[in-house]
Structures are given as C-alpha cells and as structure tokens.
Amino acid sequence: MSLQNLPSLAALRTFEAVARHKNLSAAGRELNVTHAAVSQQVRALEGRLGQKLVEREGRGMALTEAGQTLARDLTAGFETIRRGWADLEGLSESRPVTVTMTPSFATYWFMPRYADFLKRHPEGDLVIRPSAAVLDPAIDAFDVAIRFGPGGWKGLTSTLLHATQFVIVGASHLIPGDKTESISDLTHLKWFQETGTTEVMNWMGEQGLSLDARTHVTELPGNLLLAALREGHGIAATARLFVEDDIAEGRLSVLWESPQRDRGYHILHRTGVLRPPVKQFVSWLKSYAPKP
C-alpha cells in the first residue's frame, strides 16, 4: 500500500492514545486536544475502514477485535519511531540498558555476577525489569532479554547463555526416591510456583501435567521459591541450573526431568546495530556463554 493511501499520522496517533487510555478525554489531555477532536479522529478512521474500532462498555469503552489489532500494530510502529528518533538525537548514549529476565534468573544467576559487571564496567547503567511474563519486544521497551527456550525467537538475535532444562524437585527428606513414573502422580502434592510465571507453566503443559489438577498450589516470588523447597514445604518446577548444587549434595531430589536437551537460557536482542552500552552489556553476558 502506498503511504498516500494511509490515514493521517495525527489520526493514527490519536487512536493509539485512545487504545492505551481506553478513554477519549484522557487521550485528549495527552495530545493536548479536545474530547470532540479525539472523537472526530476515531470516527474518521472507523469510516475509512468501514468497521467499528471502539465500543461502549458500561461507563467506559473497549476496543473491538479490529481495534485491538490496529492498536497492537500502531503501538509497535510508534515505539520503533521513538527508538529511531532517540538514536538519531543522541539520547541513546546516555540511556541505561533495559534488561528483562525472570525474578528467579535475576536472583540466582544474574545478581551473583552483577559485581563482576560493575568491576569491568563501572560506568555501565542498567535497568533490570524482572518479569515472569514473556514480553513482546515489539511492544515492551527493552534492550536485552534473558529467556528460556530452544532458541530461534522470530525477529530477534539469540545467543545461548547457559544450557539447562526445567526439572520438578522436592526436598530429599520429604519425598523418598529421586524420580516418579508419571508426572500426573505429583498432582496431589503441595506445589510452589513463581508468581506470574509463564516459561515454567508452558513447560509443565508440554510435559502433559494438568495444571488444574494440582490440589495445593502456593505462589511465591522467585527469590523465595528455593528457600521453600529447601525447607521441605513442597515441590516446584524450576531450572536445573538453579538447583544443581542442591541435587548434587542431596538436599533436593529430582521427581521429573524433561527428556528434551535442546533448551537453555538465551540472550535476546533486536537484530541490527546495537548502541554501544547495549553492545557492551551483551559482550559481558557472552563472556559467560559456552565457548564454540
């Protein structure tokens, strides 16, 4: 489609603000225009498309399916424009490196090594965003992500940082033996899981575990999960990387282990030229990656 056939940038920007705020007046305040002007821009887009983008929901408003699709793409597009402008304006040199990782990874792998980063790069500024949810780089603004999986994330450059797999473990004195015949045999036990976790939940689903079948589940912050396990209060799925010493020294027993061996934590970033602080941080991470 030719750019000449697109709606005006002002109309698209207005709708993107409406989609975020779910409120015409709030969008108007952000853009410094009137409620009526915002409404007019949205109606113009709907007329152009021949379908509704927003609809009333109680006293507020909600996006239609078409509105959700357009909002997602506009948010990604405006974020790309924002990043590009910041790079050209020279702001990127002073902007901290934003890194997302799970709370468990931050606690048990990253923080023990953070002093080494500061020693090597005392001028390096980081913003760590622990999140158990898998963030979308097209929408969520981050420079580097550490994520578990087989690699090959679409649209991103990925480098293996540490090969590992998820295991289900419990205190050895609580659960005799070191494995179970079927993962479904574990549903009656007391479970712990990291609050808001996505990666582990996806993995357990792949193993055939019916998550709804578990009768006792307690959510904990990632930094408290291993403490609860070591005290023998229940079982949990976690990366073997975090509990390798506990397993070797007999504090924890493996109850279930995936046969998949092509998994691990990867360094993810957008493809292309990295601004210097990001490149520096990625290079430091790669110093811990397996040598080819």
Side-chain angles (χ1 to χ4, degrees), residues 2 20 42 52 102 104 123 150 213 243:
S2 168
R20 278 188 288 106
V42 173
K52 297 288 288 182
T102 63
S104 289
E123 77 291 351
V243 293

Side-chain angles (χ1 to χ4, degrees), residues 165-286:
Q165 55 190 315
F166 283 128
V167 292
I168 299 175
V169 293
S172 300
H173 69 267
L174 176 69
I175 305 163
D178 59 1
K179 291 216 176 176
T180 186
E181 293 297 322
S182 170
I183 196 169
S184 61
D185 294 338
L186 304 174
T187 56
H188 69 286
L189 297 173
K190 184 174 179 60
W191 282 79
F192 296 107
Q193 70 183 35
E194 186 174 348
T195 303
T197 184
T198 300
E199 293 174 340
V200 172
M201 297 289 280
N202 291 343
W203 174 82
M204 288 194 290
E206 292 173 0
Q207 306 309 302
L209 177 66
S210 175
L211 301 178
D212 293 336
R214 296 176 301 166
T215 54
H216 306 287
V217 181
T218 300
E219 291 194 357
L220 293 172
N223 61 329
L224 299 181
L225 188 69
L226 291 194
L229 285 174
R230 289 164 180 156
E231 290 295 325
H233 298 312
I235 68 172
T238 188
R240 187 170 188 127
L241 169 65
F242 304 147
V243 293
E244 200 68 73
D245 291 343
D246 295 277
I247 295 169
E249 296 172 16
R251 289 187 294 272
L252 296 176
S253 293
V254 177
L255 305 176
W256 183 264
E257 187 165 9
S258 169
Q260 298 168 320
R261 303 292 174 178
D262 60 342
R263 299 290 190 272
Y265 282 97
H266 290 73
I267 308 163
L268 307 180
H269 56 80
R270 297 178 186 88
T271 300
V273 178
L274 301 177
R275 50 192 189 92
V278 178
K279 184 177 181 180
Q280 181 185 78
F281 179 69
V282 169
S283 296
W284 173 76
L285 286 173
K286 287 181 177 179

Side-chain angles (χ1 to χ4, degrees), residues 91-101 110 114 117 121 123-129 141-146 267-270 274-285:
L91 298 179
S92 60
E93 288 297 323
S94 59
R95 182 160 50 88
V97 178
T98 303
V99 189
T100 178
M101 60 187 74
F110 179 76
Y114 181 48
F117 174 75
H121 307 290
E123 77 291 351
D125 292 330
L126 304 178
V127 175
I128 306 301
R129 292 178 57 192
F142 62 80
D143 295 302
V144 181
I146 310 295
I267 308 163
L268 307 180
H269 56 80
R270 297 178 186 88
L274 301 177
R275 50 192 189 92
V278 178
K279 184 177 181 180
Q280 181 185 78
F281 179 69
V282 169
S283 296
W284 173 76
L285 286 173

Side-chain angles (χ1 to χ4, degrees), residues 99-154:
V99 189
T100 178
M101 60 187 74
T102 63
S104 289
F105 190 90
T107 300
Y108 303 119
W109 192 93
F110 179 76
M111 290 310 299
R113 294 164 177 81
Y114 181 48
D116 178 58
F117 174 75
L118 293 178
K119 181 179 179 180
R120 296 196 209 181
H121 307 290
E123 77 291 351
D125 292 330
L126 304 178
V127 175
I128 306 301
R129 292 178 57 192
S131 172
V134 178
L135 302 181
D136 183 348
I139 298 175
D140 300 286
F142 62 80
D143 295 302
V144 181
I146 310 295
R147 287 302 178 203
F148 179 87
W153 279 265
K154 184 177 179 180

